[in-house]
Structures are given as C-alpha cells and as structure tokens.
Amino acid sequence: MPEIQMPKLSDTMTEGTVVAWKKKVGDEVTAGEVLAEIETDKATMEWEATDDGVLKEIFVEEGGKVNVGDRIAFIAGEGEETPNEPAKEPQKTAETEKPAPAEAKQPATAPPQEQAPDKRAPAKSKPGEKTEPERIKASPLARKIAAGKGISLTTVSGTGPGGRIVEKDVEAAVSAAGPQAPAEAPTAKPTKVAAPEISAGETARIVLTGMRKIIAERLVTSLGPIPHFYLNIEINAAPLMRVRAELKSGGEEDDAAKITVNDFILKGAVVAALREPKVNAAFDDDAIIHYGDVNLAVAVAIEEGLVTPVIRGAQNKSLREISAAVKDLAQRARNKRMKPEEFQGGTLTVSNLGSYGIDSFSAVINPPQAIILSIGAVVSRPVVNDAGGVVPGYRMAVGMSCDHRVVDGAIGANYLKALRHLLENPSLL
C-alpha cells in the first residue's frame, strides 16, 4: 500500500497544514473514515482515508506544514511493514560523519594534536543525541516551541512515532528545566501570535494562514489586472417581504425548510443569467469563455476567512432546491465538511452582507469569473408611490462588479434589469 501524501485539496493549493489527526498510530482505518483535518489555502477540511488498513506511521505531527505530495502518514495492509525513515537515516549519518574525519585531520597537522580528541569528545559523550538540528526527528510545532522556550532538542527524548520529538516532549522538558523556561518565554511569545483573540489597545503580528495568503493573492490578482467597473440599482423589496410574510404565515417556520429573501435573490441571479448569458463568462487570454451551466458561487463567512461553495447546474434547480443546497453547503463549510470540488468551478458569485447591516457595497470579482453581485440589507424608508404620495416602503441596494474585458456596460445593465424584474415579481421565481 503506498504512503499517504499531502493531498491537493484545491486547484491553487501548494502546501497544507495538518491541523489535527483523528486517528493515532496503531488504529485500524476504514476507507471513508476521517483521518485528519487539513488546512488548505481555501479552508480547513476533514480528509478521509482511501484505503483500509492500520495507521502504522505518522510522518507529520499536528501543526506541521508540508508541500503537496510530501508523505504525511502510512497505512499498512495486513502483514505490511512501514517503509519509514531508517532507509534515509544512514544517508544523513554518512553525510554528517564525513566532516568529522576532516576535522580530525586538520588538527592532526597542527602542533597540538590533543585538539582532535577534544573536538570529537562532545559527539561521543552522548551517542544518542544528534548535534545538528536537521538530523533530529521532531515535529515542526515541537521545533517552534523549543526555539521559543530556549530548549535544545538534543536534550529532549522523543516519544512520538519512530522516536520523533513531539509537542508534549518539549513541554515536559520545559517543566523539568525549572525557572529557565519562563525567563525566556516572554521574548518568544510575540513571534507566536496564532491566538485570534486580540484585546483593545494590543499590538500584535498575526501570521497569515494558508487561506488568508490565497485570499490576499487572489484579491491582488483580481483588483489589479482585472479592469473593474461597477453598476448599482435599488429595487422595490416590498414584494419580496410580502411573499416571505405569506410563507411564514403559512407555517413555514422550520429552519431546515424555510425559504429566505436571500434564496429568492440567488434564484433570481441564476434566472437573470439565463436571460443575459453573456455575464456567465470568463476572460481567457485571447478568448472569452461562455459557460453552458450557471454554477452559482455563494460567499460564506467562516472563522478562518471567506469561502465560496458552488451550487452546480443551478439553472436546473428550483427555488426550494437552491435554498436547501445553500444551507447545506454553508453549514458544511463552517463545520469543515466540504469536499475540494465543492469550492471549484463557479461561474458567477453572489455576496450578501445585508444580514450584517450593510446597506450597499462593491465586491471584488472572484477570478476568472466576470461578475459578482453585492447585496445590501432590506431597509424600510419613505418612498414615493405611483400616485405621487409619500408612503412607507422597502428598498434593497444591489451592486454588480464587472470585468470590462468580458462584460460591457449595456450587457451589465440588461442583466440588472432582468434581475430587478424578477425580484420585484417574485412569483416568477
């Protein structure tokens, strides 16, 4: 059975972090069982085993970050042994022992030959220790903690797989070291600022997670090279509020089945794209791709950042099916149960900040898509009716960011005109 390698869980992923192991060495593993939580550039998601067997070795401890394709574990079949690190260990030993004879020869030519034994004595006094950091089997998290606490890994005994030094070994060494560790801890803490809770007046440097790095890269890739232009309309949201009230009075109070105003907006965005298909497109160097399916991406805020799970073939789904799909995707995104393919392939995106009290905003395009809708809150305000009177009403701001290489102003205007008609006549949906 092959070694388990860091999987490529998104199209832009180059490295991953093992957040947590759900199995320990010696546990039986069944295909489909959750093996670990992996942080990718898009989200932290649960990773399932693909084979049956026994988890014989874990090569990357919790907190460890490795490149896609690097080995992280080994699941052995019946009677199969772990092809772990002994094969590499002699190579490292040979490389590190080569300088020793050279050092011995240099002092030998010098008058005081006693220097050669003196230089080699520390290495021989502790045969079990490795003096070079790269030779010590330790998890990345253990190395960070040891560096912060001022603990030398040569003095720490490893209890992890294959004698690897893990976090608890370093913590034990810190406790055994007595007052030395606390003395150095304050200087190390500012460099380890993973804690998300920041107090008022506190200055901190937060190391970017893989997800935030990609968000930063993609936004620069988007707002820089993509020529954005923005269109904005205000729709009469009273019909939407009336339909929602009718559904509520009809007994639709079950959260699992409740159709929200946002569901109407999502359905309207899809139907409007069918009426103006040129917005369901992407720029591709020397061509424009017009997509056959409307794969609707929905912006969902999670603790680590922002993800855009995709409802595929949304033009074939009813209002209720879209409602159920977006609730399921959002819940699984927040619970780290998304599959990699569920983040990919969106053709247009809807971002709704109305529930956060935002009246209107302009969103940044999610490349390679050509448009993104920004939905504001439904607000109650005085409006002028057809008879010229001032009456209470509901209004909602809808913004649209367009890639001018793909979408011209008239195309964008036609799309928003279709969307306005649908949302102001929700029975059409």
Side-chain angles (χ1 to χ4, degrees):
M1 192 175 297
E3 293 174 341
I4 305 301
Q5 300 175 337
M6 174 60 72
K8 187 177 179 68
L9 297 176
S10 77
D11 51 349
T12 55
M13 179 180 173
T14 59
E15 61 182 13
T17 301
V18 178
V19 176
W21 285 103
K22 299 301 185 181
K23 295 286 186 178
K24 61 181 183 294
V25 173
D27 285 353
E28 292 188 0
V29 177
T30 304
E33 277 190 303
V34 175
L35 188 61
E37 285 186 5
I38 304 291
E39 182 190 62
T40 73
D41 55 351
K42 294 184 182 292
T44 300
M45 58 183 70
E46 293 181 332
W47 179 45
E48 298 177 351
T50 57
D51 297 288
D52 296 342
V54 176
L55 183 59
K56 287 283 190 178
E57 180 71 285
I58 291 176
F59 300 121
V60 180
E61 297 297 330
E62 294 181 356
K65 179 182 294 186
V66 296
N67 293 328
V68 169
D70 287 355
R71 65 178 188 172
I72 62 174
F74 179 76
I75 298 177
E78 186 175 352
E80 192 173 7
E81 295 299 325
T82 309
N84 55 12
E85 294 167 319
K88 288 191 175 183
E89 207 62 40
Q91 295 177 1
K92 293 182 180 179
T93 304
E95 292 171 3
T96 51
E97 286 183 353
K98 282 181 183 178
E103 291 176 1
K105 287 180 183 178
Q106 290 174 358
T109 60
Q113 293 187 359
E114 293 81 3
Q115 293 178 359
D118 290 344
K119 286 186 177 182
R120 292 159 57 186
K124 289 188 176 182
S125 62
K126 297 180 181 181
E129 295 177 358
K130 303 180 178 68
T131 58
E132 297 184 27
E134 63 270 20
R135 295 182 58 203
I136 298 174
K137 295 168 62 178
S139 71
L141 182 57
R143 291 182 187 277
K144 287 182 182 180
I145 296 175
K149 302 291 187 181
I151 297 294
S152 172
L153 291 177
T154 60
T155 64
V156 181
S157 299
T159 61
R164 187 184 303 272
I165 298 172
V166 294
E167 178 185 3
K168 64 180 181 180
D169 300 325
V170 178
E171 296 293 353
V174 170
S175 300
Q180 293 180 348
E184 302 227 354
T187 60
K189 282 185 179 178
T191 62
K192 187 181 178 183
V193 287
E197 296 181 3
I198 303 297
S199 302
E202 177 183 349
T203 299
R205 183 176 185 271
I206 307 298
V207 178
L208 293 180
T209 63
M211 179 189 295
R212 291 242 59 102
K213 284 181 182 179
I214 294 300
I215 288 174
E217 291 171 3
R218 287 179 67 82
L219 290 182
V220 171
T221 300
S222 176
L223 200 55
I226 295 178
H228 285 57
F229 76 93
Y230 308 94
L231 300 174
N232 299 279
I233 61 172
E234 186 179 74
I235 73 164
N236 177 11
L240 280 174
M241 300 304 290
R242 183 171 59 252
V243 169
R244 180 67 204 109
E246 290 172 357
L247 290 172
K248 183 177 180 179
S249 65
E252 204 173 274
E253 283 297 294
D254 182 7
D255 287 341
K258 183 170 64 176
I259 293 177
T260 66
V261 169
N262 189 59
D263 296 331
F264 280 98
I265 294 168
L266 296 178
K267 178 63 176 176
V270 173
V271 177
L274 297 178
R275 298 186 179 184
E276 185 52 74
K278 289 183 179 179
V279 302
N280 192 44
F283 186 78
D284 186 29
D285 293 331
D286 59 350
I288 294 175
I289 299 174
H290 286 143
Y291 296 108
D293 286 335
V294 180
N295 294 333
L296 179 65
V298 183
V300 176
I302 61 174
E303 184 177 351
E304 298 89 349
L306 181 74
V307 295
T308 51
V310 176
I311 302 174
R312 299 187 179 278
Q315 77 279 3
N316 299 321
K317 298 185 183 297
S318 67
L319 173 64
R320 188 172 295 280
E321 287 173 332
I322 287 179
S323 175
V326 72
K327 289 178 176 63
D328 172 62
L329 289 170
Q331 181 180 14
R332 289 194 289 114
R334 296 186 178 106
N335 293 331
K336 305 172 185 178
R337 297 287 295 177
M338 293 288 295
K339 298 177 181 178
E341 60 271 18
E342 290 176 318
F343 290 108
Q344 302 168 17
T347 60
L348 62 86
T349 299
V350 175
S351 178
N352 190 339
L353 291 179
S355 62
Y356 293 89
I358 300 300
D359 291 344
S360 65
F361 66 104
S362 297
V364 178
I365 293 170
N366 184 16
Q369 299 168 25
I371 68 166
I372 181 171
L373 292 176
S374 46
I375 311 298
V378 175
V379 295
S380 177
R381 64 175 54 161
V383 297
V384 179
N385 62 16
D386 295 338
V390 178
V391 297
Y394 292 98
R395 291 294 186 266
M396 181 175 69
V398 176
M400 178 176 173
S401 305
C402 308
D403 181 349
H404 216 328
R405 300 171 301 177
V406 180
V407 176
D408 294 328
I411 295 173
N414 286 336
Y415 175 79
L416 287 181
K417 180 180 179 181
L419 180 61
R420 184 206 299 270
H421 180 66
L422 291 165
L423 295 182
E424 292 184 350
N425 298 276
S427 59
L428 298 174
L429 299 173

